[in-house]
Amino acid sequence: YLKISKLALAFAIIHSKPPGKSCKEYTEHLAKTVSGQDFGWKFKAKVLEAEVLRLRQELLLNKICPRFCLANDASAENLLDQECVNPTSYSSQLEDSGCDVSHDYAFDLLGTAADFHQSEHNVDTSKLWLERVLPLNLCSTGKEESLTAPVQFLQHLLEIRKLSEGGILQADFTELENDSFTICNSVSQLLDGLTVFYNSPKFPVSNFLTEGVCVLIRLITDTTLSNYVLKKCFKKLEEFKKNLIQIILRNSSVNRFQALHAVSHTLVLLGRNNILRNSLLSLLLSEVRQFAEQLLQAHQIQAMYDVTQYENIFPLCMILEQLLQTETEESNVSSSDYDGEEKMKFLKNLDQIILHLSDEFPLFSLYLWRVSVLLNSAQIQ
């Protein structure tokens, strides 16, 4: 049937081709016209899918808390107008080449570390935030557009959680089990949007992108919501972590150090979740071990090695050290509670690797040793 259809189409094109045009030229013209129509339909389909997701998000929020309403007010619109005109207040601090990372507080805004350590907001503050909803026709462009709907939905979810904990609202979060599509799709969109930004970041970072990272971390650290999110979106979160690690390793831009710092900070924040930490440690140990073995092999045969990758491996070492130290501080026991397969592989020939690399690569060898000390702290004690 397919062969007959192709033959019929070929005859139709031959019979209908205008004079002065070859069959090939006319076929290419028709293909371009049809592909243009397909693009238009695909765009319309994406718009309709986004609208369906928005309606499902509103419906789910209403099921969780019937008293909740999405009310836009002038204050929220004024806030967003200011964001469009002047997205950040620290732009002048990030106009250097990217080699100077002394302005640490600017990077902290990406992870909003202070927000995660603050005590619970009071009820009045939470109630005020519900009245200042980010409208869906946000004036953001490009990378921020993909974050608008998921960030808004997840913000509402988190604030309902706070108000219900404070006794102001009655909420039934078991509805998240009944509509796993909406929560999964929203988290996936947020992770995809953040991945796009980290792949080609632009500084200064918009406050809206900063809020996207903040919402993600609050979501996976919330004692109630994190169970639903991790259960439904664990694979997507694992993929997100792998993507961030590869972004660090593959970045060869001259001005990459600001971006690497931002990605590293996000990985550290993700690693504070007990469920995500072990898999993240395995990924990091695997990458550092493989690079150390490749560097040793290149050193032994006096071959060239990738200097850029050598520089990029240090953020992974620093993330490893921070996560292992965090584990020790939180559990008040040895960091060797992490006892995965990658730990054994990492420690297997580490002494020999450090011994051979210490003269030529003292800083990298020092980092390897510090990580090994944290991993072996139980035996040392």
Side-chain angles (χ1 to χ4, degrees), residues 22-92:
S22 67
C23 288
K24 181 181 179 182
E25 290 173 343
Y26 186 52
T27 303
E28 289 174 349
H29 168 73
L30 291 175
K32 186 180 293 185
T33 303
V34 172
S35 64
Q37 292 174 350
D38 286 345
F39 177 79
W41 282 111
K42 288 178 181 178
F43 177 76
K44 289 179 181 178
K46 286 184 178 180
V47 172
L48 292 173
E49 285 174 359
E51 179 63 14
V52 169
L53 178 61
R54 185 187 68 81
L55 292 173
R56 291 189 67 148
Q57 289 170 342
E58 289 188 10
L59 180 62
L60 179 58
L61 290 174
N62 189 262
K63 286 181 178 178
I64 293 172
C65 181
R67 290 179 55 195
F68 180 78
C69 63
L70 302 178
N72 296 330
D73 66 354
S75 59
E77 294 177 2
N78 292 335
L79 180 67
L80 290 166
D81 289 340
Q82 294 174 6
E83 170 69 11
C84 292
V85 175
N86 185 17
T88 51
S89 60
Y90 55 92
S91 59
S92 62

Side-chain angles (χ1 to χ4, degrees), residues 58-315:
E58 289 188 10
L59 180 62
L60 179 58
L61 290 174
N62 189 262
K63 286 181 178 178
I64 293 172
C65 181
R67 290 179 55 195
F68 180 78
C69 63
L70 302 178
N72 296 330
D73 66 354
S75 59
E77 294 177 2
N78 292 335
L79 180 67
L80 290 166
D81 289 340
Q82 294 174 6
E83 170 69 11
C84 292
V85 175
N86 185 17
T88 51
S89 60
Y90 55 92
S91 59
S92 62
Q93 308 227 359
L94 293 173
E95 291 174 355
D96 63 322
S97 66
C99 298
D100 181 8
V101 294
S102 59
H103 304 299
D104 290 337
Y105 87 95
F107 298 117
D108 287 339
L109 290 176
L110 263 177
T112 51
D115 293 341
F116 309 129
H117 298 297
Q118 285 179 351
S119 59
E120 290 292 331
H121 292 284
N122 57 53
V123 173
D124 292 337
T125 304
S126 298
K127 192 171 183 180
L128 177 62
W129 175 247
L130 287 179
E131 296 171 358
R132 295 181 57 159
V133 174
L134 292 172
L136 283 177
N137 59 347
L138 189 69
C139 50
S140 59
T141 58
K143 300 168 190 174
E144 297 180 16
E145 288 180 353
S146 60
L147 293 175
T148 305
V151 167
Q152 176 181 341
F153 168 69
L154 296 172
Q155 279 176 331
H156 291 152
L157 206 58
L158 287 163
E159 295 307 321
I160 289 175
R161 165 86 174 93
K162 282 185 182 179
L163 290 176
S164 64
E165 194 175 46
I168 297 243
L169 293 176
Q170 296 280 328
D172 180 16
F173 288 101
T174 57
E175 289 292 337
L176 292 174
E177 289 282 359
N178 302 328
D179 190 1
S180 60
F181 170 83
T182 301
I183 185 72
C184 285
N185 205 304
S186 300
V187 174
S188 294
Q189 280 193 1
L190 174 58
L191 296 178
D192 289 341
L194 291 175
T195 302
V196 169
F197 165 72
Y198 283 131
N199 266 311
S200 54
K202 290 185 179 180
F203 293 96
V205 179
S206 165
N207 289 336
F208 190 70
L209 287 166
T210 302
E211 185 63 25
V213 178
C214 178
V215 165
L216 174 62
I217 303 303
R218 287 175 60 199
L219 196 64
I220 65 173
T221 53
D222 186 277
T223 53
T224 298
L225 298 179
S226 62
N227 293 330
Y228 297 102
V229 173
L230 293 174
K231 187 186 300 182
K232 303 296 182 182
C233 310
F234 183 77
K235 289 185 178 179
K236 188 68 179 180
L237 284 165
E238 291 296 293
E239 180 186 341
F240 180 62
K241 291 186 295 183
K242 291 178 182 178
N243 289 336
L244 293 188
I245 290 174
Q246 291 306 312
I247 287 171
I248 291 177
L249 291 174
R250 295 174 183 174
N251 198 325
S252 58
S253 172
V254 175
N255 297 327
R256 66 185 181 275
F257 300 105
Q258 292 180 338
L260 295 187
H261 187 94
V263 178
S264 301
H265 191 53
T266 301
L267 281 170
V268 171
L269 293 172
L270 288 171
R272 290 178 182 170
N273 181 278
N274 294 330
I275 298 176
L276 299 178
R277 183 184 301 150
N278 283 350
S279 60
L280 180 55
L281 285 171
S282 294
L283 291 171
L284 293 168
L285 286 171
S286 176
E287 292 293 345
V288 174
R289 175 183 58 82
Q290 291 179 39
F291 177 78
E293 292 173 353
Q294 293 169 7
L295 187 63
L296 176 61
Q297 184 178 5
H299 177 64
Q300 287 175 337
I301 63 176
Q302 297 298 306
M304 297 293 293
Y305 65 92
D306 190 340
V307 177
T308 299
Q309 193 173 12
Y310 176 77
E311 293 174 344
N312 290 348
I313 204 69
F314 285 99

